[in-house]
Amino acid sequence: MNESIRFTFNVDGSNFTTAGQASVQVKKNLRELGIPPEAIRRVSIAMYEGEINMVIHAHGGTAEVIVYEDKIVIVLSDRGPGIPNVELAMKEGYSTAPDNIRSLGFGAGMGLPNMKRYTDDMKIDTEIGVGTTITMTVNF
Amino acid sequence: MKISDIKDLLDAEVVCGEENLDHNVFSACGSDMMSDVLAYVKDQAVLLTGLVNAQVIRTAEMMDMVCIVFVRSKKPTPEMIELARESGIVLMNTEKRMYEACGLLYKSGLVGNGVRHE
């Protein structure tokens, strides 16, 4: 199918309280489109973790969700500091989040591993001092 | 177990979502780390937590949870209550601490991982 539906959001990096708003909206939109519930859940959790990461580490960015006939692609882009060691960042429990983030319930080093676990494919393009783009695909 | 049973077992006060107390739930989890909730919890319906911020509500929403119990008499903020109302999530608080609250529910048949919530 050539036709696809695209949702684009700005993720505000200045406010932890509002982090996750885009994911909540995507969940609603996907429900309205009649996407299978399990796929909706996987997309929302992966995107939510990504949004939180963008707020904690990268001063926000943009989130794009593209819905195809049989898959959903999530593209999260930021102009943050980049990830120095992707392999290390993918390890469960490894985190560079500051202590105040841990007191808010995040920064346990589960973000990227969770995103990988809930999606069928995840690609990380990152450059120090330039930014990071994470592309995730959920098939259904 | 109905959500109203959780209220009774924990001697809890319902903050919002009274209309959903008849909803049946089959599993629960207790955590203050939302990333752990997002990682390990599958098909759980109830979240017990001592953490109070808007991300608790969003985490529950992402996981399709239907009830959040705040332990140690923690009170959700008006903004959290509004978010929960929008999503139809029941919020309640109990004076009990996390360990005791989880134990009481577990003993009464509300188990952790492994039981699917349909």
Side-chain angles (χ1 to χ4, degrees), chain A residues 2-19:
Chain A
N2 295 323
E3 280 181 59
S4 59
I5 301 169
R6 190 176 290 254
F7 307 113
T8 307
F9 303 88
N10 279 318
V11 177
D12 178 3
S14 63
N15 190 347
F16 186 80
T17 306
T18 57

Side-chain angles (χ1 to χ4, degrees), chain B residues 9-10 48 95-106:
Chain B
L9 284 162
L10 300 183
L48 293 94
E95 287 180 6
K96 300 191 188 313
R97 296 173 65 187
M98 178 76 97
Y99 181 76
E100 187 184 1
C102 291
L104 284 167
L105 296 183
Y106 198 98

Side-chain angles (χ1 to χ4, degrees), chain A residues 16-17 19-21 23-24 27 41 44-45 48-49 92 103-106 108 110 114 117-118, chain B residues 32-36 38-43 51 53-55 58-59 61-64 79 86:
Chain A
F16 186 80
T17 306
Q21 276 180 338
S23 305
V24 171
K27 188 162 192 171
R41 189 192 292 191
S44 343
I45 294 170
Y48 179 56
E49 287 278 22
E92 287 193 3
S103 68
L104 294 167
F106 288 88
M110 297 304 294
N114 278 351
R117 180 181 300 128
Y118 282 106
Chain B
D32 289 351
M33 287 307 283
M34 294 302 107
S35 286
D36 281 348
L38 291 162
Y40 295 113
V41 179
K42 207 175 173 196
D43 299 312
L51 185 70
N53 67 43
Q55 301 309 341
R58 292 207 184 92
T59 297
E61 172 156 14
M62 292 303 141
M63 302 299 288
D64 298 317
E79 184 202 16
E86 284 171 16

